């Protein structure tokens, strides 16, 4: 049997009803209303299947109990040694079996991580990360992604960021060459902010310890000291920007660029983002740790910054890591024996991004299993915002080939689910009773599953023998019933999972 055709979940003994690795790497979307059993039913089943088959991956947390849930999953299948928790250390309760995992103060400076990645560490990629984070901030603020309007401001901000990043990179290389304090010029959000903030302006007194001037003085020596003439062009562009272009911008333009940047940078100057995302780089939680190697399974990295506790900072933190993990997955070399990795996103409406759409278009070839879980599609329309939200959400969902629907009262989701499963010609009897009785048989194009049916799916618990009812459809798959969907049960009891 080909590796990709190995079953992860068996809904029956018939191979036509097996859900395989090939299906997993094309992505999963689970919808179900509050209390529908989506997380404890199909979600739990998928999570166990990934862990039992040795997959590494990243778990994003929306709810405060998500970390505890995944620790229990990992312990149940013997994968606890593969778990790393990235988040603020927690006070352990008495006899906590996971205490040794909770009290690690890992750090992840995204800029330092990118700078260490050869081609991925280019200035353009670093600036791209900044702009992605700013879009997340716009979405949190209710503006929606891609809603900023005039592209002039985006271009102006990108130019400021690119110049500051190049300046710090040059200064750091020279400082390292001459044995100076490299950390002083490290690529961090506070240092980038300092470079931009201390740019000399006409008529303003320049302090003796001006950081931007100090960086420029070091950077100027880079081409000669490092014996690399190509750096001269980079330095000239940087010098022109900070000595001539930026100081001479109209005050309103400069002020707008600064305000946009500071709005982005401030969360990284204090609080959790400053503590965990602005300084060091812990090897234990690098995205590549989730990849299987010849001597170990891939790590399961839990991002313990639950949105319900950390609010917008939790979204920022996890969105940054998610983007860099997706890029790392796309860079890795894949062979016929490469083990898949997974991205687990419960309460996915908090983390939805246009980057997810691009990632899903190539996730199959990278063997990345994305699982997104949310109450309803209306959550996605509301949170992604911007222009044409429905089209953008539908584009993402079209690239998540497996859809699992649980009990739901959101009519928009139920109609979308019914349309996704589709219509077929169905026979119907027409009876006329009058002076004479008549009957005829005709065919009409009707839903295979009516929208109303999704409101009546069983939602687990003792009243339903801990069984969660769901309707599963997979793009291109014909089930043993001859249809494009199957109505089945997922078991909340770990000993009864369909694995």
């Amino acid at each position: 049997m080909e590796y990709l055709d190995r079953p992860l979940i068996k809904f029956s003994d018939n191979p036509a009803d097996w859900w395989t690795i090939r299906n997993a790497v094309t992505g999963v979307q689970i919808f179900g209303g509050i209390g529908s059993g989506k997380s404890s039913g199909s979600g739990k089943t998928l999570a166990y299947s990934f862990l039992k088959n040795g997959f590494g991956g990243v778990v994003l947390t929306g709810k405060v109990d998500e970390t505890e849930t995944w620790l229990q999953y990992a312990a149940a299948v013997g994968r606890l040694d593969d778990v790393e928790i990235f988040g603020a250390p927690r006070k352990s309760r008495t006899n906590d079996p996971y205490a040794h995992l909770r009290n690690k103060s890992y750090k992840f400076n995204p800029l330092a991580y990118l700078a260490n990645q050869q081609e991925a560490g280019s200035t353009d990629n670093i600036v791209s990360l900044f702009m992605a984070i700013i879009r997340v901030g716009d979405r949190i603020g209710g503006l929606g992604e891609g809603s900023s309007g005039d592209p002039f401001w985006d271009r102006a901000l990108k130019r400021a960021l690119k110049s500051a990043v190049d300046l710090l990179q040059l200064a750091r290389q020279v400082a390292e060459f001459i044995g100076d304090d490299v950390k002083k010029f490290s690529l961090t959000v506070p240092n980038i902010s300092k470079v931009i903030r201390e740019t000399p302006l006409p008529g303003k007194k320049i302090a003796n310890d001006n950081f931007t001037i100090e960086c420029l003085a070091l950077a100027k020596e880079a081409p000669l000291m490092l014996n690399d003439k190509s750096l001269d062009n980079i330095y000239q562009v940087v010098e022109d920007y900070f000595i001539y272009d930026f100081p001479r911008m109209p005050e309103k333009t400069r002020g707008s660029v600064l305000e946009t940047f500071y709005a982005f940078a401030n969360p990284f100057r204090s609080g959790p983002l400053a503590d965990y995302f602005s300084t060091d780089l812990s090897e234990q939680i690098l995205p590549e740790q989730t990849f299987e190697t010849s001597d170990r399974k891939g790590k399961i990295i839990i991002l313990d910054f639950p949105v319900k506790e950390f609010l917008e900072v939790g979204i920022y933190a996890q969105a940054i890591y998610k983007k860099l993990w997706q890029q790392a997955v796309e860079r890795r070399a894949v062979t016929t024996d490469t083990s898949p990795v997974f991205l687990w996103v419960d309460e996915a409406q908090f983390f939805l991004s246009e980057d997810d759409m691009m990632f899903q278009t190539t996730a199959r070839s990278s063997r990345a299993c994305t699982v997104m879980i949310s109450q309803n599609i209306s959550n996605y329309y509301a949170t992604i915002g911007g222009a044409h939200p429905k089209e953008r959400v539908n584009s993402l969902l079209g690239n998540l080939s497996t859809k699992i629907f649980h009990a739901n009262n959101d009519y928009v989701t139920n109609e979308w689910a019914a349309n996704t499963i589709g219509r077929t010609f169905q026979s119907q009897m027409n009876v006329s009773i009058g002076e004479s009785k008549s009957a005829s048989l005709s065919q009409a194009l009707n839903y295979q599953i009516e929208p109303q049916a999704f409101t009546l799916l069983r939602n687990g618990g003792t009243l339903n023998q801990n069984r969660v009812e769901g309707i599963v459809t997979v793009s291109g798959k014909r089930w043993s019933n001859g249809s494009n969907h199957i109505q089945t049960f997922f078991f909340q009891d770990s000993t009864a999972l369909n694995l």
Side-chain angles (χ1 to χ4, degrees):
M1 178 184 292
E2 188 177 345
Y3 178 74
L4 288 176
D5 293 323
R6 285 172 48 185
L8 295 175
I9 302 172
K10 295 181 178 180
F11 293 104
S12 78
D13 292 333
N14 190 324
D17 294 333
W18 293 356
W19 192 75
T20 65
I21 293 174
R22 188 182 302 278
N23 300 139
V25 297
T26 57
V28 181
Q29 172 61 58
I30 302 174
F31 282 127
I34 296 171
S36 64
K38 61 184 178 297
S39 296
S40 61
S42 61
K44 183 176 185 177
T45 302
L46 264 66
Y48 266 67
S49 74
F50 292 168
L51 295 177
K52 279 192 169 185
N53 282 276
F55 298 2
V58 176
V59 179
L60 277 62
T61 58
K63 296 171 287 192
V64 293
D65 61 352
E66 189 77 17
T67 296
E68 189 77 15
T69 296
W70 273 85
L71 288 171
Q72 293 171 4
Y73 290 170
V77 300
R79 294 287 306 277
L80 205 56
D81 288 343
D82 296 327
V83 173
E84 297 289 357
I85 299 176
F86 177 31
R90 306 281 183 169
K91 181 180 279 189
S92 298
R93 61 182 185 272
T94 305
N95 299 322
D96 180 5
Y98 314 122
H100 63 293
L101 294 171
R102 300 187 199 275
N103 299 313
K104 299 178 181 179
S105 297
Y106 291 140
K107 307 292 174 89
F108 184 76
N109 178 353
L111 302 182
Y113 170 74
L114 268 181
N116 291 339
Q117 308 299 311
Q118 296 181 356
E119 293 181 8
S122 70
T123 299
D124 287 338
N125 284 331
I126 293 172
V127 172
S128 175
L129 172 63
F130 274 116
M131 299 306 293
I133 298 169
I134 289 169
R135 287 196 298 272
V136 170
D138 285 346
R139 183 170 60 78
I140 294 171
L143 298 176
E145 291 196 33
S147 64
S148 57
D150 191 345
F152 169 81
W153 302 110
D154 277 353
R155 289 195 296 268
L157 181 59
K158 283 181 181 178
R159 191 175 174 211
L161 289 169
K162 180 174 173 59
S163 299
V165 169
D166 277 339
L167 178 57
L168 282 169
Q169 297 272 50
L170 290 174
R172 182 184 57 79
Q173 291 178 64
V174 173
E176 184 177 16
F177 183 82
I178 64 177
D180 202 347
D181 182 6
V182 176
K183 207 163 188 179
K184 181 178 181 181
F185 307 99
S186 60
L187 195 57
T188 65
V189 173
N191 274 351
I192 292 172
S193 180
K194 194 174 182 181
V195 164
I196 294 175
R197 186 175 65 252
E198 295 191 13
T199 299
L201 299 177
K204 301 285 186 180
K205 185 177 180 181
I206 302 174
N208 292 331
D209 59 349
N210 182 282
F211 185 61
T212 309
I213 295 296
E214 184 179 4
C215 289
L216 285 167
L218 284 172
K220 187 175 183 178
E221 304 301 324
L224 183 61
M225 283 191 176
L226 304 177
N227 194 28
D228 187 345
K229 291 184 178 180
S230 68
L231 299 180
D232 189 55
N233 290 332
I234 297 175
Y235 173 74
Q236 288 302 323
V237 172
V238 167
E239 182 188 55
D240 286 347
Y241 184 80
F242 285 109
I243 298 300
Y244 303 105
D245 299 341
F246 189 71
R248 295 177 184 178
M249 276 185 188
E251 189 172 348
K252 183 179 178 181
T253 303
R254 187 170 62 242
S256 295
V257 171
L258 289 172
E259 185 57 36
T260 303
F261 176 75
Y262 290 153
F264 150 75
N266 278 341
F268 291 87
R269 300 177 69 184
S270 63
L273 290 182
D275 293 339
Y276 300 104
F277 285 83
S278 291
T279 52
D280 299 324
L281 199 59
S282 301
E283 183 178 353
Q284 296 90 332
I285 58 166
L286 295 181
E288 290 79 7
Q289 292 290 345
T290 62
F291 306 163
E292 184 180 63
T293 65
S294 58
D295 59 349
R296 64 161 177 81
K297 292 183 173 68
K299 292 289 185 180
I300 301 127
I301 298 176
I302 304 173
L303 305 181
D304 192 24
F305 299 95
V307 176
K308 291 297 184 180
E309 179 181 354
F310 288 87
L311 304 177
E312 65 181 51
V313 169
I315 298 176
Y316 266 124
Q318 297 181 77
I320 292 168
Y321 193 96
K322 174 167 75 81
K323 179 176 175 64
L324 293 179
W325 181 86
Q326 289 172 329
Q327 291 178 346
V329 169
E330 290 176 323
R331 287 195 301 270
R332 74 171 181 157
V334 173
T335 68
T336 55
D337 299 321
T338 298
S339 179
V341 289
F342 67 86
L343 174 64
W344 193 269
V345 195
D346 203 345
E347 302 296 340
Q349 68 274 8
F350 292 132
F351 309 105
L352 199 64
S353 165
E354 285 191 342
D355 292 327
D356 297 325
M357 303 173 203
M358 297 302 297
F359 178 69
Q360 277 310 121
T361 60
T362 57
R364 179 181 177 277
S365 60
S366 303
R367 294 200 175 175
C369 312
T370 299
V371 178
M372 303 185 77
I373 307 174
S374 187
Q375 289 79 18
N376 53 66
I377 197 171
S378 300
N379 282 346
Y380 290 176
Y381 293 153
T383 55
I384 201 167
H388 312 297
K390 289 187 177 182
E391 288 81 359
R392 291 154 68 207
V393 168
N394 289 339
S395 172
L396 169 62
L397 295 178
N399 287 314
L400 296 169
S401 293
T402 296
K403 313 288 195 308
I404 303 176
F405 301 105
H406 294 292
N408 215 319
N409 271 334
D410 181 64
Y411 80 92
V412 177
T413 302
N414 292 344
E415 287 190 352
W416 187 88
N419 281 309
T420 297
I421 294 170
R423 304 170 190 252
T424 58
F425 281 102
Q426 300 171 30
S427 299
Q428 59 185 34
M429 174 98 44
N430 300 306
V431 178
S432 175
I433 301 177
E435 292 182 3
S436 62
K437 296 180 180 179
S438 66
S440 63
L441 192 65
S442 63
Q443 285 195 324
L445 191 61
N446 293 324
Y447 284 125
Q448 295 186 76
I449 304 287
E450 290 289 337
Q452 178 261 358
F454 296 97
T455 68
L456 300 174
L457 297 174
R458 280 167 280 191
N459 59 359
T462 54
L463 289 177
N464 295 300
Q465 295 80 48
N466 294 315
R467 298 183 306 165
V468 177
E469 196 170 13
I471 297 173
V472 185
T473 181
V474 181
S475 176
K477 182 175 181 65
R478 184 185 296 274
W479 301 83
S480 64
N481 60 10
S483 181
N484 67 340
H485 69 280
I486 186 173
Q487 192 159 337
T488 187
F489 286 103
F490 296 91
F491 299 95
Q492 295 172 309
D493 182 352
S494 302
T495 62
L497 301 179
N498 344 37
L499 304 177

